[in-house]
Amino acid sequence: MAAPAREASDPLESWSEGRIRSWQAERINEVVQYAHERSAFYRRIWADHDVGSPEVRSLEDLRRLPIVKKQDLLTAGEVWLRSGEGPVGFSTRGTSGEPLILWLSPAEKDAYVIPTARGFRWAGLRPDTTALLLSPGWHRLAAMEGHAAAGLGARPTYFWGSLGGSEHVDSFLDAMEETRPQFVTSTPPFILAALRRCEETGRDPRDPFRHTEAMLLVGLPLTPGLRDFLQARLEVPRISERGGTQEGAALDECEAQLEPHVHADVCYLEVLDERGEAVAPGSRGRLVLTKLVPGGSPFVRYDTEDVAAFFPGDCRCGRVLPRLRIFGRPESSVVVDGRTITAYDVRRCLDEDADLVGRVTLLVRGSGHPGILRIAVEGRPFAEAALKETLCERLGVPQAEVTWLGDARVTWGFRQVIEVSQLHGG
Ligand SMILES: [Zn+2]
């Protein structure tokens, strides 16, 4: 397999908005034709909506196509699976129920290596340095990381183990000592678990990271407070974040770190309200994805179920690529007084406090009080009255309750929600 060319320049970064839009419309048309040809699932739902054999000449045309939900794909079963069969399969985590199987084709891999390399450049990966990367099996987007690092002239390395819980933290810390990476990709929960292991064993957490100039985190949105905290504790000069979904949404922060840019060459993203109408920039809605690569499993107007918002205004970097934050999924959210509160919203409040930053925080569901935001926080109580006030004021909820988990062993996870019965050991 040929290595992707080193990118001396990246044309997409200098394109105008108009050029990006017309280029995307052409790609969408290719993707729609690909889906129509390959997928009995799309042929059926488009026929059901009287779309027939769709031709997409503009982004407005795309909006005529129905929105597809994950449940529709699961219900279609084999019919969906055969849509994009390729040599590599990935499965979504299934935290929201049944996992979805996706196929990745070689052409699609090549297409996604380009934005991955772009994000790596923005995050500070330099040629001739060592990069310690996420396991490629962890996520579909992670599968592109080794190719991207090698394509940029860096040396990719991996550690043995998974990123779940803290079981393989020692293996990660050993790999940090052995490979001395200048660049690291990981997840916030795993880096927090590594930090905790250092504290438990009396090790200075700056030691394993002493060669690291830049770190790129993915998997959970990074709060500003947590970024500052990790930079200070690990003395890593630059920590950036990536975002994305298994189905193909891909985002990276630029050097300005003012919310992630959408990689408009691989995905077209919409943020829609309950009725399927686009919401204004700055407002939250459901993230709907059209994957712009005619390869692997096709996604055309797929409701990712993520809560997301576009950011209005221009980025300081001058790039016109849209900026968007994925706040979380329904399974990492609760509804209080009619408002959807994500775990990110709560962590953002806690992470501003030096005594609370980085503590495991869980949303508590099922308390039977629709007007009360209940959270559980690891460790001993700290400034509870002030914390409740901040939560109510910032999140617009009438009342907040905090359960302190004391010495109970809790580890960071990706779901960040527990049922009230689990809280009481039920
Ligand atoms: Zn920017």
Side-chain angles (χ1 to χ4, degrees), residues 92-115:
T92 61
R93 281 201 300 272
T95 37
S96 57
E98 227 178 306
L100 185 68
I101 307 295
L102 318 169
W103 295 104
L104 176 66
S105 72
E108 189 183 358
K109 187 271 293 170
D110 289 346
Y112 272 88
V113 166
I114 295 167

Side-chain angles (χ1 to χ4, degrees), residues 254-256 261 315-319 323:
C254 70
E255 308 82 349
H261 285 283
C315 185
R316 237 183 358 235
C317 71
R319 297 179 185 95
R323 288 174 301 139

